[in-house]
Structures are given as C-alpha cells and as structure tokens.
Amino acid sequence: AQSVTQPDIHITVSEGASLELRCNYSYGATPYLFWYVQSPGQGLQLLLKYFSGDTLVQGIKGFEAEFKRSQSSFNLRKPSVHWSDAAEYFCAVGAGNTGFQKLVFGTGTRLLVSP
Amino acid sequence: GAVVSQHPSWVICKSGTSVKIECRSLDFQATTMFWYRQFPKQSLMLMATSNEGSKATYEQGVEKDKFLINHASLTLSTLTVTSAHPEDSSFYICSASSDRGSPGELFFGEGSRLTVL
C-alpha cells in the first residue's frame, strides 16, 4: 500500500531564509507525486507535481521539488521564504491505477514564518 | 483555475441527527468528485469517490450507510452523515478534477468542520 511520511509537524523559518520540507513515500511503481498548500480558510492548492522526466520540478510561488528515487523522497524547497508562505503543506502520492486522482496524503507540515 | 465550494463551512449538531454537506463545482462540470476526512494533526483520508449518476465507490473501512454520497448533477455532490455521533466529528473535504487544470491537478473545497455534541 502507498504511504507518505512528512516527518516535520511544524517548521519555523525566518522571512528571507531558505526552506526545505521533507517528504518520503512508499510505492512499488513509479509514483505520481504532488505538493499541495492549504492556507487558513481555503482549499488545498496544487504547488507542483512530478509524473516523469526531469526530477527537478518547478512550481508556483517560487517553489521547487526534487524527486529522488534512491531515497524515495520528494522534498519541497524555496530559496527565500515570504511571510505569505505561512500555511500547511501536504505531500501526496497518486495511488493505484487511477494514478493522480486517488491521492494518499502525508500528515502535513505547518510552516511558520518569523519576521 | 477551477473553483470548488463547500457548504456549510462548519456545523454543530446533536448526536443522532443527520448532517448534509454540499460540494459544488462553481465554474466547471465535475463527473467525479472525491470526499476526504481529516482528523486533527492527521492526513486527509480518502473516504469515497463520487460519480455523477451512479453509486459512489467507498474506500475500505468506510461505512456506506453512515456516509451517504449523492452526485445527482455535474456540479453538486453531497455527503450526508447519518445518525451522527461524536466520533464522526471531523473536517470533511471534497475535491474534483477539471480540464481547466493541469493533468492530474485536483481542485479542493475549503472544507467543512463537523462537531457532533
């Protein structure tokens, strides 16, 4: 069965500093991987995704993520965090033969941005 | 992008009553919608896949008689929690795919928080 682990429940980063949110997955085949962001009172929004090809994927809002098969990881990064990036971030893997529609989510990482 | 809206945002009900949560695709038609449940500090768990005009497909361990899903139109899916009990208190979220999005992208509602007293 597919699973996703986000080891950090919450992370605090100073504004302007770099960010890396960790995600590890368990899946037997080539995974479909996603990062979603949830701001208070809003629905989850897709930041970026990996299906195949280049293992470094660029997303919206200046985020990027790198797929590392050898480490079963898909960590999210941003070189310079803005206060508006404070939110909950979810990593997800597409499950089964439906690929990207039936998603298995991690528990989320809450990002706090300090002045 | 496409917009998915849920109503109500939060609801409090007495134990034993039924509660209906609506999920609407506001600017696109959604033949398939997904319902999730999220407990505090836990991940979103897929409950069921809602298909327009047919029965929903429930994930293992989800009681279909407890969580009734109806997808009567291309823009509306409803989740009814029947005979709710305190253990049904949770955050319920729906999502849908749209050809307005990139391949594989899902659009999520804001979520509905249910508290059963």
Side-chain angles (χ1 to χ4, degrees):
Chain A
Q2 300 81 7
S3 66
V4 176
T5 301
Q6 293 181 248
D8 303 305
I9 296 173
H10 52 79
I11 283 181
T12 300
V13 175
S14 298
E15 189 168 15
S18 63
L19 169 71
E20 182 169 32
L21 301 183
R22 295 183 290 167
C23 172
N24 292 94
Y25 68 90
S26 173
Y27 186 60
T30 299
Y32 298 104
L33 295 162
F34 305 80
W35 275 99
Y36 280 86
V37 60
Q38 184 180 34
S39 298
Q42 298 184 26
L44 279 74
Q45 180 186 20
L46 180 67
L47 282 177
L48 47 76
K49 64 183 186 289
Y50 170 79
F51 284 0
S52 64
D54 193 345
T55 56
L56 182 63
V57 293
Q58 303 296 321
I60 62 171
K61 304 184 181 184
F63 286 92
E64 66 177 27
E66 186 171 13
F67 169 57
K68 293 185 177 180
R69 184 187 299 276
S70 62
Q71 299 178 19
S72 297
S73 69
F74 189 56
N75 294 347
L76 182 71
R77 300 193 294 249
K78 186 170 184 178
S80 178
V81 168
H82 189 261
W83 64 267
S84 60
D85 293 324
E88 186 99 25
Y89 292 80
F90 292 93
C91 182
V93 61
N97 59 6
T98 63
F100 39 75
Q101 295 225 320
K102 292 183 67 173
L103 300 183
V104 175
F105 286 85
T107 51
T109 298
R110 181 168 297 278
L111 173 64
L112 304 173
V113 180
S114 60
Chain B
V3 181
V4 175
S5 181
Q6 287 182 236
H7 178 81
S9 299
W10 60 286
V11 56
I12 301 173
C13 71
K14 294 182 179 180
S15 186
T17 61
S18 294
V19 174
K20 180 184 287 188
I21 299 170
E22 294 183 346
C23 177
R24 293 183 183 274
S25 55
L26 298 185
D27 53 0
F28 68 100
Q29 293 183 330
T31 55
T32 302
M33 291 184 172
F34 303 89
W35 285 97
Y36 308 82
R37 183 174 180 178
Q38 184 181 26
F39 291 103
K41 299 182 180 180
Q42 295 188 29
S43 64
L44 283 74
M45 300 297 294
L46 180 64
M47 299 174 64
T49 302
S50 171
N51 302 296
E52 187 269 336
S54 64
K55 292 182 179 180
T57 303
Y58 290 82
E59 296 300 302
Q60 190 173 11
V62 178
E63 299 176 60
K64 57 184 67 176
D65 294 331
K66 160 69 84 174
F67 300 101
L68 299 179
I69 292 173
N70 184 278
H71 195 155
S73 78
L74 288 171
T75 59
L76 173 64
S77 175
T78 60
L79 169 67
T80 301
V81 183
T82 62
S83 186
H85 288 93
E87 57 266 29
D88 298 324
S89 298
S90 192
F91 196 54
Y92 294 89
I93 302 172
C94 70
S95 73
S97 60
S98 168
D99 56 10
R100 294 189 182 189
S102 61
E105 181 174 8
L106 291 176
F107 295 92
F108 287 79
E110 315 93 321
S112 299
R113 185 166 300 283
L114 170 63
T115 301
V116 185
L117 302 177

